[in-house]
Amino acid sequence: MENKIVRTRFAPSPTGYMHIGNLRSALYAYLFAKANKGEFILRIEDTDLARYVDGAVELVYRVLKEVGINWDEGPDIGGNYGPYIQSERKDMYMPYAEQLIKSGHAYRCFCTKEDIEAARANAQEAGETYKYDKKCLHLSQAEINKKISANIPHVIRQNVPTSGTTSFHDEIFGTITVENATLDDGVLIKADLMPTYNFANVIDDHLMAITHVMRGMEYLSSTPKYNLLYEAFGWEIPVYIHMTPVMRDAQHKLSKRDGDASYEDFIEKGYLKEAIVNYISLLGWNPGDEREKFTLDELVEAFSVKGMSKSPAIFDPLKLRWLNALYIRELSVADFTAYAMPYYEKAGIAHMNTDILCKILQPRVEIFSELPEMVDFLTSLDEDYSIEFFTNKKSKTNPEVSKDVLEFVIPELKALKEWNETSIHDLLMGLAQAKEMKNGTLLWPVRIALAGKQVTPGGAIEIAVL
């Protein structure tokens, strides 16, 4: 496979949700392809009609494009290996299933759902792992023809050997060998004639000339059965790269069911897309040096399978916040203001001086959704704030000192003809000098009187301007 163009694929199910783990899978497949001057393919796997969500395909397009993961072939742009939506490939799968039946690698199964569920329950009760018992493998051709003529629903099952072993090599986990006797005769074609994922992904990966299959390690246990299919067809087996899961903690995977955030959730919370992509790139991969901040182009240059981990990655919200703050610090005033404006509007401060807002907020904010709470004092002074706020040892102030300061500062501020940062600064600094007072002793009471709270993103002068 050395001389072949590297071709990877991202093949999501359209379930209406771009989970962080899904996005990481897409990112790694993209980075690996581009790092090896290869091609990245987008395929939509929509054979599970029960989980299909309207608009989900468009969501996949939008998220990937938004973060810069652009595909070389896919449903919307075409390519030489289409269609790129599984349901549109439906007629391709049955001939391959029939071929497997002829070669003895698959068979028709007429067992009902009730039969299977009863057998599964019996196995569970006996403390055993359920495996289909190959009952229908032994039907004669005459019996099969009779059932087909009577329109009895059936599936097509893989005929897995009952002895021997199957091995495969994974770039992360090395060589893995399993006893064939432990493998189940999985369904390849369902009764509605749609292929299962386990069958369609093998056919599609081969027909689309995928050279490297990158997917979650939950598919490790199914890979021996995929290899048996490749061998049955006489096809070249792709290189496998199975990724460890992204965990919420040591025991729990990130999951939609548990309310763990999707990409869209993080965007709505005020995270920058560049920070999200940068952070998820580090969930299971290490560049081999101390760098933690990367652009997408820098990730392409640095990415290597050698840096991928065998251990699950723990999602650390604090690390993401820290990284997001780095990206926020680097924004221009115009870009910072554009991102912040929806939150300014929510806080009722969109009319205020955006340059000063940027000056006081940009060095302090970690995610944009924090802004309304950080600036609430600008529109709703708490008249009941504690008089003890005026006590500050560092500034050498207390309520009595503060009262004296405010009594001479307020008239001066009222008399100020031009209200801007320079004039307010010069006035207050001049007053402190004239009164032979430390700057902090004068500024602390002014800030408390303006804000009504002890912790504010800006100082007295900036708050006064706003």
Side-chain angles (χ1 to χ4, degrees):
M1 201 170 284
E2 286 78 8
N3 299 323
K4 284 189 177 182
I5 293 174
V6 167
R7 286 172 61 84
T8 65
R9 47 74 166 174
F10 175 53
S13 298
T15 57
Y17 188 79
M18 183 62 86
H19 186 268
I20 287 297
N22 295 138
L23 186 55
R24 187 195 64 167
S25 296
L27 177 64
Y28 282 10
Y30 171 83
L31 293 176
F32 182 82
K34 297 307 165 185
N36 290 281
K37 308 291 189 260
E39 295 162 348
F40 172 67
I41 290 83
L42 175 62
R43 183 172 78 221
I44 302 297
E45 300 193 337
D46 62 344
T47 55
D48 189 347
L49 299 177
R51 296 177 65 218
Y52 182 84
V53 174
D54 283 336
V57 174
E58 289 70 26
L59 183 142
V60 170
Y61 295 162
R62 180 175 58 75
V63 171
L64 294 183
K65 285 177 182 174
E66 195 172 291
V67 299
I69 299 177
N70 297 310
W71 48 99
D72 299 293
E73 300 168 27
D76 57 334
I77 58 174
N80 296 326
Y81 299 88
Y84 294 88
I85 295 181
Q86 268 187 352
S87 59
E88 295 176 10
R89 300 170 66 84
K90 179 180 172 181
D91 295 337
M92 295 185 184
Y93 305 110
M94 186 57 82
Y96 289 103
E98 299 280 3
Q99 183 181 330
L100 291 175
I101 290 174
K102 283 180 186 171
S103 65
H105 294 98
Y107 58 94
R108 300 181 194 276
C109 172
F110 297 86
C111 294
T112 66
K113 195 179 283 186
E114 289 73 24
D115 293 337
I116 301 296
E117 285 174 357
R120 197 184 301 276
N122 289 339
Q124 194 172 355
E125 200 172 312
E128 299 169 354
T129 301
Y130 169 74
K131 266 182 64 189
Y132 182 68
D133 60 6
K134 292 184 183 281
K135 176 182 172 183
C136 289
L137 174 64
H138 309 293
L139 292 174
S140 67
Q141 191 58 50
E143 289 174 300
I144 292 170
N145 292 342
K146 185 177 177 183
K147 288 178 183 291
I148 291 174
S149 297
N151 291 319
I152 295 174
H154 70 282
V155 301
I156 297 177
R157 287 184 180 275
Q158 183 176 3
N159 184 16
V160 176
T162 54
S163 61
T165 61
T166 298
S167 297
F168 68 94
H169 179 78
D170 180 84
E171 293 294 290
I172 308 295
F173 295 96
T175 300
I176 296 173
T177 302
V178 298
E179 298 286 335
N180 290 333
T182 65
L183 302 175
D184 188 25
D185 285 4
V187 173
L188 304 179
I189 302 288
K190 295 179 280 191
D192 62 2
L193 304 184
M194 290 295 275
T196 59
Y197 167 82
N198 289 327
F199 189 48
N201 91 85
V202 169
I203 304 300
D204 289 342
D205 285 343
H206 172 72
L207 294 181
M208 291 183 177
I210 301 301
T211 61
H212 293 73
V213 172
M214 300 183 74
R215 60 185 170 217
M217 65 177 290
E218 63 267 27
Y219 293 105
L220 273 174
S221 60
S222 303
T223 301
K225 293 199 286 187
Y226 302 154
N227 273 18
L228 288 169
L229 291 173
Y230 279 108
E231 289 166 2
F233 287 120
W235 293 343
E236 185 175 358
I237 294 169
V239 176
Y240 292 119
I241 304 169
H242 286 87
M243 297 172 273
T244 57
V246 180
M247 308 288 283
R248 179 164 24 113
D249 53 43
Q251 284 80 38
H252 303 94
K253 286 174 68 175
L254 281 181
S255 74
K256 179 183 176 184
R257 187 177 294 115
D258 294 327
D260 293 318
S262 69
Y263 168 81
E264 296 94 322
D265 291 331
F266 282 111
I267 292 295
E268 284 179 18
K269 288 177 182 176
Y271 287 87
L272 297 175
K273 62 187 178 185
E274 295 84 358
I276 298 171
V277 170
N278 190 157
Y279 180 65
I280 65 172
S281 74
L282 303 172
L283 291 173
W285 170 77
N286 188 300
D289 53 37
E290 297 303 310
R291 286 181 297 166
E292 292 186 294
K293 192 167 178 296
F294 294 87
T295 64
L296 192 57
D297 288 342
E298 288 167 345
L299 284 171
V300 168
E301 199 174 313
F303 191 81
S304 166
V305 171
K306 291 177 183 175
M308 292 176 67
S309 174
K310 288 184 180 181
S311 304
I314 305 295
F315 189 91
D316 182 356
L318 294 178
K319 180 74 173 283
L320 174 57
R321 283 178 71 103
W322 168 81
L323 197 54
N324 197 64
L326 294 187
Y327 278 88
I328 287 177
R329 305 287 177 270
E330 293 180 353
L331 293 173
S332 66
V333 173
D335 286 343
F336 179 86
T337 301
Y339 281 113
M341 189 52 71
Y343 301 98
Y344 288 170
E345 289 170 355
K346 184 177 178 183
I349 63 166
H351 62 287
M352 293 185 179
N353 186 311
T354 53
D355 286 350
I356 294 178
L357 284 170
C358 180
K359 178 182 174 184
I360 68 171
L361 295 171
Q362 190 172 13
R364 296 168 174 88
V365 69
E366 293 183 331
I367 54 174
F368 282 101
S369 56
E370 295 175 318
L371 286 175
E373 191 175 340
M374 289 175 76
V375 299
D376 58 358
F377 64 90
L378 291 172
T379 56
S380 55
L381 180 63
D382 181 2
E383 300 292 354
D384 297 323
Y385 63 86
S386 172
I387 197 169
E388 294 307 316
F389 288 180
F390 286 106
T391 298
N392 183 288
K393 288 181 181 177
K394 187 179 176 185
S395 298
K396 294 189 166 61
T397 64
N398 57 40
E400 291 73 27
V401 172
S402 297
K403 182 172 183 291
D404 291 340
V405 168
L406 292 173
E407 282 182 340
F408 68 76
V409 165
I410 290 173
E412 296 286 348
L413 286 173
K414 279 185 177 179
L416 201 58
K417 287 188 175 138
E418 286 189 23
W419 194 270
N420 57 50
E421 194 170 2
T422 303
S423 61
I424 295 170
H425 172 274
D426 292 347
L427 172 70
L428 295 179
M429 295 301 98
L431 285 172
Q433 190 174 358
K435 298 287 186 180
E436 297 183 343
M437 185 179 286
K438 281 192 170 183
N439 292 343
T441 307
L442 183 138
L443 293 175
W444 181 266
V446 174
R447 184 160 73 87
I448 296 299
L450 284 164
K453 59 196 296 185
Q454 291 173 297
V455 179
T456 59
I461 295 164
E462 295 152 328
I463 293 169
V465 176
L466 293 170

